[in-house]
Amino acid sequence: MNWCRKNSLFILFFIELGISVYAQTPLQLSLKDSIQRALENNENIEMFKQNKESAKWQLSFARKAKDVSVTWQTNLYRINSDINNTNFENTLSMQLPISTGRRIEENINLYRLKLDSADISLKNKEQEIRFAVKEAYYNVLQKKNLVTIAESGVRMSSEQLLVIQTQYEEGSLVKSDLLHIQIELANYEQELVDANGALEIAENQLLSLIGLPDDTDFETIDKFEYSPYPMTLEECLEFAKANRLDSKIANNAVKQTETQIKILKSEEKPNVTAIANKSISDNNASHFNRSESWEVGVKMTWKIFNNNATKDSVKAAEANVKRAKAEVVGVDKNIVLQTKNAYIQMKTAEKNIETSAAAVLKAKENLSIAQARYEEGVDILLNLTDAQEKLIRAGTNYYTALYEYNLGRASLEKAIGK
């Protein structure tokens, strides 16, 4: 019995320890997961979804204007005469539009366009959020790389300081060499502090975008990668022309204003409606024996004069069409410019990757030579620290080129609506 109790406590201890370790494990966060979280938690996405939902029901409401409408009307009259008389009247009416000069049809088209616009706007907002998350995620990766570079600078200077401190104490070095390496170490330590601060800010920005608390402990599991972009500039421009959502939104706005003109012009045409009415009345609310009548027929209304109010409205709408078409031209020009700029920035960073990678290899070799020469006593400390600085800068340039290439690639895909 004691054995079971002891082993139960032992097992329970390790279960609790496992739970504690598991709870402290950082959240493993990929770029794909980050984007998905942002799309699920972003308040703007919900707003655009509700805009789309509202447009869907507005379209449904517009379609019902083609159907039969039924109205029940009850009137109570008190007639002033020598004999007090109360009259109850009930009327059942049914109406069915036959011809509205295409007003109903064009109104349905207008709300269908508004639904399309709401759907495109939702997708456009989703694209903006995807890019914002990519930008924030890549920024975290870059800041982590810069922390690594700063840590290597601190580590190398610390190792050199230990050697130089010993040499100084033995009297083989002057104090200026010791001060030089101490100053360099202090500079690298400051760069490390700045790099960690920038990393913390970048992580908070990412957590805010994806809807996680700012104290969430997480690790980014994706890394910067390089692969040549498969599309030429001309292919990117063609793709952007066919797929940029803000261009589709602008063209949809033109169609909406053109449809509004058709709706306004329909007011100048006759409206024909089939009607059926049945009326019953009595001076008793529960009996209807005094009179009963019904009518069936067709009603036509035609607004033949309204002091040119319709024409004025049409002129205003035509001006809106011209404005919307001008906006389309501006949007399309901006798409071309954004695509070209993003493509150039990506290709520039691509060239810098190759150049900076070669510079890193040369800087490593240069540092090895400088270390050997210094240890052999044929070179001065300044040349050694200069070689170390060159390696730090070459590594920084390489990671920056990778960052700018990946960010430029994401910017290009946003620019072409991919």
Side-chain angles (χ1 to χ4, degrees):
M1 190 70 178
N2 290 333
W3 182 89
C4 292
R5 184 180 296 108
K6 289 180 180 179
N7 281 276
S8 297
L9 293 173
F10 184 78
I11 293 171
L12 180 61
F13 169 76
F14 276 97
I15 289 176
E16 290 176 346
L17 178 62
I19 293 173
S20 176
V21 171
Y22 178 79
Q24 294 174 0
T25 301
L27 173 65
Q28 302 298 297
L29 203 57
S30 68
L31 176 58
K32 181 178 180 181
D33 182 44
S34 299
I35 292 173
Q36 185 60 37
R37 286 174 181 270
L39 293 176
E40 291 173 354
N41 298 324
N42 189 277
E43 63 278 2
N44 289 323
I45 290 292
E46 182 62 26
M47 181 182 71
F48 277 84
K49 284 182 178 179
Q50 295 306 318
N51 286 343
K52 180 180 176 181
E53 186 72 7
S54 175
K56 182 182 75 173
W57 289 109
Q58 287 175 341
L59 174 59
S60 177
F61 177 79
R63 284 173 172 161
K64 287 179 170 59
K66 299 173 64 176
D67 300 335
V68 174
S69 63
V70 179
T71 304
W72 178 272
Q73 180 177 335
T74 299
N75 296 320
L76 169 62
Y77 298 101
R78 184 71 175 177
I79 302 174
N80 186 14
S81 62
D82 294 338
I83 301 175
N84 289 332
N85 191 11
T86 302
N87 188 54
F88 294 91
E89 184 177 275
N90 292 270
T91 303
L92 179 67
S93 301
M94 291 186 291
Q95 297 189 9
L96 176 65
I98 298 175
S99 174
T100 61
R102 289 196 57 79
R103 177 178 54 82
I104 293 178
E105 291 80 2
E106 295 301 339
N107 204 43
I108 292 173
N109 289 337
L110 176 62
Y111 281 103
R112 185 180 292 113
L113 289 168
K114 289 185 176 182
L115 176 59
D116 291 343
S117 181
D119 182 54
I120 298 170
S121 296
L122 171 60
K123 293 176 180 176
N124 192 49
K125 177 54 66 174
E126 289 174 343
Q127 280 193 358
E128 290 177 1
I129 291 173
R130 286 190 182 96
F131 174 75
V133 174
K134 279 187 177 182
E135 186 177 33
Y137 194 94
Y138 291 159
N139 196 31
V140 170
L141 295 183
Q142 171 66 352
K143 296 301 184 290
K144 287 175 69 175
N145 288 334
L146 295 182
V147 167
T148 301
I149 292 290
E151 287 173 342
S152 68
V154 171
R155 184 179 64 255
M156 286 190 292
S157 292
S158 298
E159 292 171 354
Q160 290 171 1
L161 178 59
L162 291 175
V163 174
I164 292 173
Q165 181 77 38
T166 302
Q167 292 175 339
Y168 172 73
E169 291 173 355
E170 292 174 350
S172 59
L173 282 180
V174 295
K175 189 173 183 179
S176 61
D177 284 347
L178 176 62
L179 293 174
H180 177 82
I181 198 66
Q182 287 175 335
I183 292 171
E184 185 175 75
L185 175 58
N187 289 337
Y188 282 131
E189 287 175 338
Q190 182 177 345
E191 289 181 5
L192 179 58
V193 170
D194 292 341
N196 277 311
L199 174 59
E200 186 176 355
I201 292 172
E203 289 176 337
N204 287 339
Q205 176 65 20
L206 177 60
L207 290 172
S208 176
L209 280 172
I210 64 179
L212 290 176
D214 57 9
D215 60 349
T216 301
D217 186 18
F218 74 95
E219 289 181 355
T220 51
I221 61 176
D222 288 334
K223 306 294 182 183
F224 281 136
E225 295 180 351
Y226 167 71
S227 60
Y229 199 68
M231 296 171 66
T232 65
L233 176 58
E234 289 71 23
E235 290 171 336
C236 288
L237 290 170
E238 285 298 317
F239 193 94
K241 184 178 180 180
N243 293 279
R244 266 292 285 262
L245 295 178
D246 47 354
S247 178
K248 292 183 178 181
I249 292 172
N251 280 286
N252 184 285
V254 172
K255 294 178 181 178
Q256 286 189 43
T257 51
E258 290 175 339
T259 304
Q260 287 170 345
I261 291 176
K262 295 177 181 178
I263 293 173
L264 290 170
K265 288 183 175 180
S266 69
E267 295 181 3
E268 298 177 333
K269 299 177 181 178
N271 291 327
V272 181
T273 306
I275 60 172
N277 296 326
K278 181 176 179 61
S279 299
I280 51 180
S281 63
D282 203 330
N283 56 7
N284 190 314
S286 60
H287 300 88
F288 299 101
N289 299 319
R290 201 176 74 180
S291 65
E292 181 175 343
S293 63
W294 58 268
E295 59 182 2
V296 177
V298 176
K299 178 178 69 175
M300 184 186 76
T301 59
W302 192 354
K303 189 183 293 184
I304 60 175
F305 179 75
N306 63 354
N307 200 25
N308 290 326
T310 300
K311 290 183 178 180
D312 292 344
S313 297
V314 169
K315 290 292 183 182
E318 288 173 344
N320 289 334
V321 170
K322 292 179 180 179
R323 178 188 55 78
K325 287 182 176 180
E327 186 173 347
V328 168
V329 174
V331 169
D332 289 343
K333 283 184 178 180
N334 193 45
I335 288 172
V336 172
L337 179 62
Q338 288 178 356
T339 301
K340 287 183 176 180
N341 287 347
Y343 193 88
I344 292 170
Q345 290 171 356
M346 182 191 70
K347 299 301 286 186
T348 301
E350 184 178 41
K351 294 176 183 177
N352 287 336
I353 290 174
E354 183 179 354
T355 303
S356 59
V360 169
L361 296 177
K362 292 177 182 178
K364 286 181 178 179
E365 183 180 2
N366 182 51
L367 179 59
S368 297
I369 294 172
Q371 285 175 333
R373 288 175 60 82
Y374 181 76
E375 291 170 0
E376 292 171 1
V378 297
D379 209 345
I380 61 175
L381 178 62
L382 182 61
N383 288 338
L384 175 59
T385 56
D386 182 64
Q388 178 179 306
E389 178 69 16
K390 283 184 170 62
L391 177 59
I392 296 294
R393 299 305 161 224
T396 301
N397 291 339
Y398 173 70
Y399 282 124
T400 300
L402 268 178
Y403 164 69
E404 290 179 348
Y405 175 76
N406 281 272
L407 184 59
R409 184 165 176 152
S411 298
L412 177 61
E413 293 187 340
K414 179 177 182 291
I416 65 178
K418 189 172 182 180

